[in-house]
Amino acid sequence: GKLISYGSHADVPLYKDMSGNIWMQTPYQGISSFKPEQRKFRSYQLDFLDQENEKIMAMIQDRDGVFWVGSNKGLYQLEIHQDLQLVVIPQVKAKISTHITSIYQDKNHVIWIGTKNGLYQYLPQQERLKKYLLSQKSLSRVPSGFENQIHDIYQDQSGIIWLAGEGLISIDDKSDNLEYYSIPVDQNPSNQNIIWGIQEDSFGTLWFPLMHR
C-alpha cells in the first residue's frame, strides 16, 4: 500500500475512534484526525493547553462520543459539534489536575485513569470519581509506586482488567481479585522490565512491548 506521511513532527499517542478515524497530537498544541476512507486530515487547535509545557499523553472516545484527553497537566473532556468544531466541555465530570499516563473505558462503561498520583475510576452512572487504591488490595511483591506509573490499561476478552507498568497487575472486577506478575530481566528479580502497552490478538493472546529498566 501507499505510505502517507504527516510530516516529521507528529507525536504519539495514536488513537482510533468509534468511526475508524485516527487521532494524533501535532505540533503547536493541536490534534489531528485522519479519515481513512477519504484519506484526509483535519486539524484542531487546542488553545486551552499550555503552549510551552503541556503535552497530550492519552486519549479515548467514550461510548457517548465524548473525547477524554489526558495531558501532563490534567484531564479534559471534548466533544465535536455539528460544525465539526472540537469544543471543551466546561463542566468536567472527572476533574484531575495531574500528569495523566493512560485512559481506558471498560465494558461496564467505567473509565479508568492512570496518573502520576495514583489510579482513578470514573463511574458514569453515579457521576463519581474515586481513587482505586492498589495499596489496600493486599498485593504482595508489587513495586513501590506501581500505581503512579501505569503506562497502559486494557480489558481482555474475558473481562479481566490489566495494568501495565513495572510488571503487570490483573483485576477481576467481579471477584475483586488482583494478581501481580513480574517480568524480570535475565531472571534477575531485582531488575524488572517496564511494560509500555497491552494488545490482544484474535486468539485471546496478550502481547506486551517491554523496555529494560
Side-chain angles (χ1 to χ4, degrees):
K2 183 179 179 182
L3 180 65
I4 300 175
S5 173
Y6 190 57
S8 59
H9 299 289
D11 203 356
V12 292
L14 295 176
Y15 175 72
K16 184 177 181 180
D17 68 19
M18 294 185 298
S19 300
N21 302 316
I22 306 298
W23 292 79
M24 67 201 77
Q25 182 180 2
T26 59
Y28 314 114
Q29 308 312 105
I31 56 176
S32 286
S33 65
F34 175 69
K35 292 183 176 294
E37 70 279 4
Q38 299 177 7
R39 305 179 78 81
K40 290 183 179 179
F41 286 95
R42 181 180 179 88
S43 297
Y44 302 87
Q45 191 69 19
L46 304 183
D47 295 327
F48 54 87
L49 295 179
D50 183 328
Q51 293 292 319
E52 295 183 0
N53 302 308
E54 195 163 8
K55 180 179 178 181
I56 295 172
M57 309 303 296
M59 178 177 179
I60 68 163
Q61 184 183 30
D62 67 23
R63 286 167 176 78
D64 294 322
V66 174
F67 287 93
W68 296 64
V69 177
S71 77
N72 57 327
K73 290 193 172 184
L75 183 67
Y76 306 92
Q77 290 171 284
L78 314 174
E79 58 185 2
I80 298 180
H81 287 183
Q82 291 182 349
D83 59 1
L84 297 181
Q85 294 301 308
L86 196 62
V87 179
V88 180
I89 298 175
Q91 299 298 324
V92 180
K93 297 177 181 177
K95 186 170 180 57
I96 301 176
S97 300
T98 189
H99 188 125
I100 307 296
T101 59
S102 51
I103 312 172
Y104 186 82
Q105 185 173 37
D106 67 22
K107 296 172 184 176
N108 294 320
H109 298 192
V110 174
I111 295 177
W112 298 72
I113 305 161
T115 79
K116 288 197 172 181
N117 188 34
L119 178 64
Y120 293 82
Q121 286 180 314
Y122 176 71
L123 311 175
Q125 293 182 344
Q126 304 174 25
E127 295 189 352
R128 183 167 69 95
L129 179 71
K130 72 172 187 176
K131 199 163 188 177
Y132 193 95
L133 298 174
L134 292 172
S135 58
Q136 294 182 0
K137 300 295 181 178
S138 301
L139 282 170
S140 61
R141 302 179 294 110
V142 180
S144 175
F146 180 100
E147 57 196 4
N148 298 329
Q149 55 172 4
I150 297 171
H151 301 299
D152 200 8
I153 304 170
Y154 182 77
Q155 185 174 33
D156 66 23
Q157 296 177 17
S158 65
I160 301 297
I161 298 289
W162 294 85
L163 311 176
E166 191 173 338
L168 288 165
I169 288 179
S170 66
I171 303 174
D172 186 340
D173 236 13
K174 295 178 181 177
S175 64
D176 206 29
N177 182 49
L178 280 73
E179 297 286 345
Y180 172 73
Y181 304 87
S182 64
I183 305 180
V185 179
D186 300 325
Q187 306 302 314
N188 182 355
S190 63
N191 193 8
Q192 295 292 319
N193 273 299
I194 304 298
I195 299 176
W196 286 99
I198 309 169
Q199 287 293 327
E200 184 176 15
D201 64 25
S202 58
F203 298 100
T205 301
L206 296 177
W207 296 80
F208 313 102
L210 307 178
M211 183 185 78
H212 295 328
R213 189 176 184 182

